[in-house]
Amino acid sequence: MDEPISSKAETPLPTNSDQGYSVNGDEPMPDLPQNPADSSSSDSDSEDDESNQNLHLQSLQSQLSSNPSDYDAHVQYIKILRKVGDIDNLRKAREAMSEIFPLTPSMWQEWAEDEASISTGPEALAAIERLYERGVFDYLSVSFWLDYLNFIREYDPLVQDCATSGIKKVRDLFERALTAAGLHFTEAEKLWEAYRDLEKSIYQTIAETDAQV
């Protein structure tokens, strides 16, 4: 009696290629090493970018030498110096522009952030505060005031420790901010919220200190 034919397909026998060999019996070719030209091409692109930036900087320097009142040239010059991280020339460029034009709030913020990224020691703290003071003089900007207030709260050790002089300093600064922008039609609420947050923080810190005594 014949056996029934299985419904399963027969498993094909493995071929040489399935076992890791080529049809002619040779070993399979190993993966080719990465083309060294790829990395050299990347290095070349980086060098080209740096060369182009240097040429652009030289061109902008020439423009500003012949026309110091070229606003767009100042902006582009500062932008490229910031990109390449030339902090010394960046400071000089910002000072040169600020002598002729008021810097925008975002430009003052970037300047303060760049300086804070380098150092927030006592001398640096005072210098950065002066930058913020110059910025609030140039423009009425709630976001810039908030940035200034947050900087003082975060980096001034007397404010962090809730020392009497520190509390007075930050409260006085908030009062100045509210006098300047407390009636701003769309953003004044942000200042009031920040002030409430400050007072809550001061209260909690004092309460915790008293509880430990």
Side-chain angles (χ1 to χ4, degrees):
M1 183 174 178
D2 295 334
E3 294 183 3
I5 299 174
S6 173
S7 61
K8 295 181 180 180
E10 293 183 0
T11 303
L13 294 175
T15 63
N16 288 337
S17 59
D18 292 333
Q19 296 177 358
Y21 295 91
S22 61
V23 175
N24 60 11
D26 295 333
E27 292 287 341
M29 292 183 65
D31 293 337
L32 293 176
Q34 185 178 4
N35 188 348
D38 292 342
S39 59
S40 62
S41 175
S42 177
D43 293 341
S44 177
D45 291 342
S46 178
E47 291 174 359
D48 289 343
D49 289 342
E50 184 176 353
S51 177
N52 290 334
Q53 287 174 349
N54 289 334
L55 289 174
H56 198 180
L57 285 172
Q58 292 174 7
S59 174
L60 290 169
Q61 286 173 339
S62 177
Q63 286 180 246
L64 291 171
S65 295
S66 59
N67 182 15
S69 298
D70 189 333
Y71 183 89
D72 290 337
H74 278 287
V75 172
Q76 289 300 314
Y77 188 48
I78 289 171
K79 182 178 180 180
I80 296 176
L81 286 172
R82 190 169 191 253
K83 182 178 180 180
V84 301
D86 188 348
I87 191 66
D88 290 332
N89 284 321
L90 180 57
R91 286 191 185 112
K92 294 176 183 177
R94 283 166 164 162
E95 289 290 356
M97 183 176 180
S98 68
E99 290 177 1
I100 304 173
F101 302 103
L103 303 186
T104 64
S106 62
M107 294 180 77
W108 282 115
Q109 282 179 311
E110 288 178 351
W111 192 349
E113 288 171 2
D114 290 344
E115 296 295 341
S117 69
I118 298 171
S119 174
T120 54
E123 292 184 4
L125 181 68
I128 296 169
E129 283 187 56
R130 288 194 292 271
L131 289 178
Y132 278 112
E133 286 293 332
R134 292 167 64 183
V136 297
F137 179 80
D138 271 358
Y139 274 93
L140 174 58
S141 167
V142 171
S143 64
F144 187 69
W145 268 111
L146 288 170
D147 196 57
Y148 185 8
L149 294 162
N150 289 334
F151 173 79
I152 294 300
R153 291 187 64 182
E154 183 175 355
Y155 292 107
D156 191 308
L158 294 176
V159 175
Q160 289 178 326
D161 294 340
C162 279
T164 302
S165 59
I167 292 174
K168 183 179 186 307
K169 175 180 179 177
V170 72
R171 279 176 173 162
D172 287 347
L173 191 59
F174 264 99
E175 291 295 337
R176 286 180 54 205
L178 289 170
T179 299
L183 297 178
H184 192 283
F185 184 69
T186 58
E187 296 188 307
E189 183 180 356
K190 296 177 182 178
L191 284 172
W192 290 103
E193 288 178 355
Y195 203 175
R196 285 194 294 270
D197 180 69
L198 170 73
E199 292 299 335
K200 287 180 181 178
S201 177
I202 292 173
Y203 174 79
Q204 290 174 354
T205 301
I206 293 175
E208 291 172 0
T209 302
D210 291 343
Q212 294 173 0
V213 176

